[in-house]
Amino acid sequence: MKLDFVLKGDVLFCTEDREVQTVPDVFLICKNGKCEGVFTDIPEQYKDFPVEDHTGKLIVPGMTDLHVHAPQYTYRGLGMDMELLDWLNENAFPEESRYSDAEYAKKAYAIFTEDLKNSFTTRACIFGTLHREATEILMDQLEETGLITYVGKVNMDRNGSESLSEESAEVSAAETRKWLDDINGRYKRTMPILTPRFIPSCSDELMKEIGKIAEEKGLRVQSHLSENPSEIAWVKELVPASENYGDAYALFNALGDEKHPAVMAHCVYTDEKELAILKAHHTFIAHCPDSNLNIASGIAPVRTFLESGVSIGLGSDVAGGASLSLVQAMVHAIQVSKMYWRHVDQDVKPLQFKDSFYMATLGGGKYFGKTGSFIPGYEFDALVIDDSALRSMRELTLHERAERMIYLSGECSIDAKYVAGKKIL
Ligand SMILES: [Zn+2]
């Protein structure tokens, strides 16, 4: 299939300096699935490309969800009155244990994948459950959507529940290897990622095995880091040799490197020392403000992270987060940063629209390479958004329209969606 075409509309995107470029009523060119740039007239060499006319609509880069739990999707919005460790035992673990049943997984994952396809997300890092068969079902379904994703079979051999735990480190590692063999070469847009749930769920032996598999097969790792004070204290007990929680992952070779960076969700309590470890390993932080609010984890110092130069994007963290919407995550990121500034540290300035837009698009997109912007040469991930229902008595700039769209996204619609040049909606 030829992935050459032109979109006409009102274009916004972020550049490396986290500034928003706004270019109303222009032509955005896609050639071979890659962005050629934004033009006021169609240049001669693209004259025969088909034009999709979206005049008056917003066109923004596709968004990356760096952290989402597929099996928790169908109970999102429930159990939001607990803290992390109780929430896991009472909500997450009982639900996830149901994915031992392939028929259940098929039905539940069909709901998740359909809704993810219809969301603002074009790329995502996704947790499955510890079940190999269910994880393969999830990957099969995601491949069909046209989204580009990393998906992980979860590893957990301790502190789960009777119905949700693997027997031993050996069994967990063997199942992981079997899963990787099963899916080898099966997909074009769906990639495996090693997924130790978090340190409290994985014995030292299992973490060592995961580090070994990562190195052997050149795979990335996703997990959770420094989300909640009780969790952090527990990790210190479990891995006494570690300097901090981040170091506990580093000890087991699970933080990755420049070529295979890990993604760590939350980092609410990450201090300077832990941040230095993440930067040294090129680890990506998935900031999940909705989840951090719902299960009362706290507020991550995101302005500090952005200024440190660490790689960072947004995560929905469904079902700690209630919604898959990354534009809602953008709003929550701005809102919680204001609370951090007001109540925690007045030297740390709140986030602005441009910071949040950067994290949802280019910041998180970098996890997938050159994605999340309309800079020439980037993979063509785009969303066409109709914001015409947001009537106003003011003459609004493109920047103002985009700002209103994220706060009032429920009144807007996604009219078209492209991932690496392929139209999926
Ligand atoms: Zn999570």
Side-chain angles (χ1 to χ4, degrees):
M1 193 174 53
K2 248 188 148 190
L3 301 174
D4 299 343
F5 57 89
V6 179
L7 301 184
K8 181 173 186 283
D10 299 329
V11 174
L12 288 97
F13 61 99
C14 252
T15 41
E16 264 317 321
D17 53 6
R18 299 203 304 272
E19 292 302 327
V20 181
Q21 307 294 316
T22 59
V23 269
D25 200 28
V26 284
F27 298 95
L28 179 62
I29 315 269
C30 176
K31 186 182 174 192
N32 285 333
K34 298 233 166 85
C35 184
E36 293 281 293
V38 176
F39 303 88
T40 44
D41 290 301
I42 302 175
E44 199 49 46
Q45 68 266 39
Y46 311 119
K47 283 279 193 231
D48 59 345
F49 286 12
V51 179
E52 279 191 42
D53 191 350
H54 297 290
T55 301
K57 293 176 186 167
L58 299 170
I59 304 178
V60 300
M63 298 182 182
T64 293
D65 188 343
L66 282 180
H67 186 72
V68 55
H69 296 260
Q72 298 174 6
Y73 183 69
T74 57
Y75 77 85
R76 71 199 191 285
L78 295 173
M80 295 303 197
D81 45 6
M82 291 174 203
E83 277 196 67
L84 174 68
L85 300 178
D86 293 333
W87 182 86
L88 283 172
N89 289 321
E90 292 197 28
N91 285 288
F93 292 171
E95 177 65 25
E96 289 190 23
S97 69
R98 305 190 70 174
Y99 287 74
S100 59
D101 174 356
E103 283 311 307
Y104 186 85
K106 250 178 223 160
K107 283 186 199 150
Y109 281 151
I111 297 171
F112 169 74
T113 50
E114 187 186 349
D115 288 3
L116 191 68
K117 183 179 175 178
N118 289 315
S119 75
F120 290 89
T121 301
T122 46
R123 307 202 181 215
C125 296
I126 303 172
F127 277 55
T129 61
L130 58 80
H131 311 98
R132 176 168 44 79
E133 193 184 357
T135 305
E136 291 178 25
I137 290 166
L138 172 62
M139 295 177 90
D140 290 346
Q141 292 186 1
L142 281 164
E143 181 75 8
E144 288 294 304
T145 62
L147 299 164
I148 295 180
T149 58
Y150 281 102
V151 180
K153 180 203 108 54
V154 169
N155 296 98
M156 48 190 298
D157 69 338
R158 68 177 174 192
N159 299 317
S161 64
E162 209 167 293
S163 56
L164 193 76
S165 185
E166 292 171 302
E167 265 169 61
S168 64
E170 295 74 56
V171 169
S172 181
E175 279 294 289
T176 301
R177 287 178 188 279
K178 171 87 172 75
W179 163 59
L180 294 169
D181 287 345
D182 281 359
I183 57 154
N184 190 21
R186 203 195 285 184
Y187 309 114
K188 286 201 173 75
R189 299 164 88 88
T190 315
M191 299 159 284
I193 184 166
L194 296 170
T195 306
R197 178 169 215 119
F198 66 155
I199 294 271
S201 294
C202 301
S203 64
D204 289 8
E205 295 70 38
L206 179 52
M207 288 304 298
K208 278 182 206 155
E209 283 296 321
I210 290 167
K212 231 190 270 172
I213 299 172
E215 197 168 329
E216 240 173 73
K217 300 192 181 277
L219 291 175
R220 300 179 180 203
V221 173
Q222 61 178 351
S223 197
H224 298 91
L225 175 61
S226 296
E227 179 176 2
N228 170 294
S230 329
E231 171 211 22
I232 294 166
W234 196 12
V235 170
K236 186 70 205 159
E237 277 172 36
L238 292 166
V239 191
S242 60
E243 209 178 304
N244 51 49
Y245 195 165
D247 187 44
Y249 284 112
L251 289 177
F252 297 113
N253 191 28
L255 281 187
D257 54 31
E258 190 167 11
K259 204 167 160 218
H260 305 107
V263 57
M264 287 287 152
H266 306 303
C267 302
V268 173
Y269 297 95
T270 294
D271 60 9
E272 255 175 58
K273 276 190 179 167
E274 190 166 271
L275 187 59
I277 293 173
L278 299 182
K279 280 185 69 178
H281 285 271
H282 303 270
T283 306
F284 278 65
I285 294 174
H287 174 45
C288 308
D290 190 20
S291 168
N292 298 158
L293 284 167
N294 290 329
I295 47 180
S297 298
I299 311 172
V302 171
R303 166 68 65 201
T304 308
F305 293 160
L306 281 170
E307 278 166 14
S308 79
V310 73
S311 298
I312 183 167
L314 294 177
S316 65
D317 193 25
V318 158
S323 165
L324 285 176
S325 169
L326 285 176
V327 296
Q328 278 189 35
M330 285 173 64
V331 172
H332 290 137
I334 296 168
Q335 289 173 331
V336 299
S337 76
K338 289 176 182 164
M339 292 298 106
Y340 192 88
W341 168 75
R342 173 64 70 199
H343 295 292
V344 183
D345 187 346
Q346 296 196 358
D347 290 331
V348 179
K349 286 200 195 97
L351 301 185
Q352 295 177 297
F353 170 83
K354 63 180 184 179
D355 302 307
S356 231
F357 187 53
Y358 168 83
M359 288 193 289
T361 57
L362 185 54
K366 283 183 189 176
Y367 196 67
F368 291 80
K370 284 184 159 188
T371 75
S373 180
F374 295 137
I375 300 165
Y378 272 54
E379 291 192 57
F380 196 93
D381 290 11
L383 300 162
V384 177
I385 300 165
D386 183 351
D387 64 335
S388 59
L390 303 179
R391 293 179 292 176
S392 177
M393 294 299 286
R394 291 196 199 170
E395 194 68 44
L396 298 173
T397 65
L398 197 39
H399 193 285
E400 287 170 329
R401 279 173 56 200
E403 196 176 348
R404 285 223 308 168
M405 182 276 288
I406 69 161
Y407 282 89
L408 301 166
S409 57
E411 297 166 50
C412 301
S413 62
I414 300 171
D415 277 13
K417 180 167 168 178
Y418 306 80
V419 185
K422 183 178 171 183
K423 186 169 187 179
I424 71 162
L425 279 183

